[in-house]
Amino acid sequence: MDTIKQFPMRKQQSIQAAPSMQALLTQATSQLSAGRVALIGAGPGDAELLTLKALSYLQQAEVVLYDYLVSDEIMALIPSTTILVCVGKKAGHHSVPQHKTNQLLVDFANQGYKVARIKGGDPFVFGRGGEELEVLAEAGIQFEVIPGITAAAGATAYAGIPLTHRDYAQSAMFITGHLKSEQDTLEWKTLARGNQTLVIYMGLMKSSHIQQQLIEHGRATTTPIAIIERGTHKNQKVLIGELSELASLAVQAQSPSLIVVGEVVKLAKKLSWFQQDDSANNIENIETSLNNSAVFTSLNPHQDKVISA
């Protein structure tokens, strides 16, 4: 019978206490220089998913331009002396036109500020990060990019849904749900293929169109689907159902939400781990009346420094 051999112990003298966060930041070699813009991905919301380099640059920046999708927990990590400029876009709120955001980045950099532009998720995944950097490049502004965990990776992981699995999905595709029915040029036949995971950003408002197109192009009506609301946040909610129920489930969700279509969703309940030991914090595991679809529910300190662009 095989036995597990004991792994060798580290020598006692080599064991040291883990460095503090402040010590890690002190040792960070990257420096944000004056007149330079750092395009930063904030990740899906959980502040502990922020990269060390992103945190270091947020501490160094003199001006931070941010979106609504950046969580309050991450905003709280920015020093109170930093100038904050809200350039978010959100239904029912004051929205800043993209051209004005671009101009603000150029103006702050030209004035010699250390500028951080932080976006939810990853700035190069449906975040217009490339568009903003094009403007900076044309204006002769130096910049760099600090990637973040995109919602398709972070939210699904916290929902217990692997993007790929040898038994269920050999590929994953990400699309945006900001579609105009009359101008829809997506390859729905490709998107409707089996044995793949389809992740749809910003798809709630077009859920009926998405449902119709996937079914018309061959995806089974019984294909498992999930809607992940506020993924990785403490109040994350996951709605589980079938493709035929997508539009009906979407009315129960609020933005920001991510739609996942594919057989990997079958694993959500089995692989659920987030908030398992926090049952007192508004967590439910209930069956809805909608065809047995499952629902798993799981102060800005700079207020006086915030500028509405």
Side-chain angles (χ1 to χ4, degrees):
M1 181 177 179
D2 293 337
T3 59
I4 299 177
K5 295 182 180 180
Q6 183 176 3
F7 288 97
M9 296 292 290
R10 290 185 296 171
K11 294 182 180 180
Q12 188 66 33
Q13 60 268 27
S14 67
I15 301 177
Q16 298 178 352
S20 65
M21 179 60 70
Q22 190 58 46
L24 287 172
L25 289 175
T26 302
Q27 296 172 12
T29 58
S30 298
Q31 296 294 315
L32 180 57
S33 55
R36 192 180 186 95
V37 176
L39 179 61
I40 300 173
D46 185 346
E48 292 184 297
L49 297 179
L50 194 68
T51 66
L52 180 60
K53 187 169 186 176
L55 177 58
S56 174
Y57 274 24
L58 288 176
Q59 295 280 313
Q60 296 177 47
E62 297 167 330
V63 178
V64 174
L65 289 83
Y66 70 97
D67 289 339
Y68 287 115
L69 290 179
V70 181
S71 68
D72 292 341
E73 291 77 13
I74 290 176
M75 294 301 298
L77 299 173
I78 301 172
S80 59
T81 55
T82 305
I83 299 172
L84 299 182
V85 184
C86 179
V87 292
K89 299 173 180 63
K90 187 177 181 181
H93 292 72
H94 170 68
S95 295
V96 179
Q98 187 62 48
H99 70 86
K100 187 172 183 180
T101 298
N102 298 341
Q103 191 59 51
L104 285 169
L105 291 170
V106 171
D107 290 346
F108 278 120
N110 280 332
Q111 292 174 35
Y113 285 99
K114 299 178 181 180
V115 183
R117 171 68 170 110
I118 186 167
K119 293 172 171 283
D122 182 272
F124 277 4
V125 181
F126 305 123
R128 291 192 171 183
E131 297 174 36
E132 293 179 8
L133 293 192
E134 283 187 287
V135 173
L136 295 179
E138 292 167 2
I141 304 296
Q142 290 189 324
F143 55 83
E144 56 187 290
V145 183
I146 297 87
I149 297 176
T150 187
T156 54
Y158 274 52
I161 302 173
L163 287 173
T164 62
H165 189 286
R166 287 191 297 173
D167 294 333
Y168 301 116
Q170 287 73 53
S171 63
M173 301 186 70
F174 304 164
I175 67 170
T176 175
H178 274 181
L179 308 171
K180 293 184 179 180
S181 300
E182 65 278 6
Q183 300 176 5
D184 183 359
T185 58
L186 289 176
E187 293 289 340
W188 286 105
K189 187 174 181 179
T190 299
L191 299 176
R193 290 183 308 194
N195 298 317
Q196 75 176 4
T197 304
L198 179 63
V199 181
I200 306 162
Y201 291 70
M202 301 168 284
L204 288 183
M205 294 184 65
K206 292 295 182 179
S207 59
S208 180
H209 178 69
I210 293 167
Q211 173 184 317
Q212 177 186 357
Q213 291 299 315
L214 289 176
I215 293 174
E216 285 185 1
H217 288 83
R219 207 62 155 116
T221 59
T222 56
T223 303
I225 62 101
I227 299 177
I228 308 170
E229 178 183 316
R230 296 187 62 80
T232 78
H233 290 253
K234 292 180 179 179
N235 58 344
Q236 170 180 294
K237 183 172 74 172
V238 183
L239 296 96
I240 304 283
E242 296 180 348
L243 181 56
S244 61
E245 304 166 337
L246 176 57
S248 299
L249 286 176
V251 300
Q252 303 178 38
Q254 297 181 347
S255 296
S257 288
L258 197 73
I259 298 173
V260 185
V261 180
E263 286 71 17
V264 289
V265 176
K266 294 178 181 178
L267 297 170
K269 189 170 184 179
K270 183 178 182 180
L271 302 185
S272 176
W273 63 271
F274 184 48
Q275 301 171 323
Q276 289 297 304
D277 56 351
D278 194 16
S279 58
N281 189 25
N282 296 323
I283 297 175
E284 303 175 11
N285 184 349
I286 63 175
E287 295 294 316
T288 73
S289 59
L290 183 62
N291 297 328
N292 294 321
S293 302
V295 180
F296 305 95
T297 305
S298 36
L299 183 63
N300 191 339
H302 307 289
Q303 193 60 46
D304 59 337
K305 298 288 288 185
V306 174
I307 299 175
S308 293

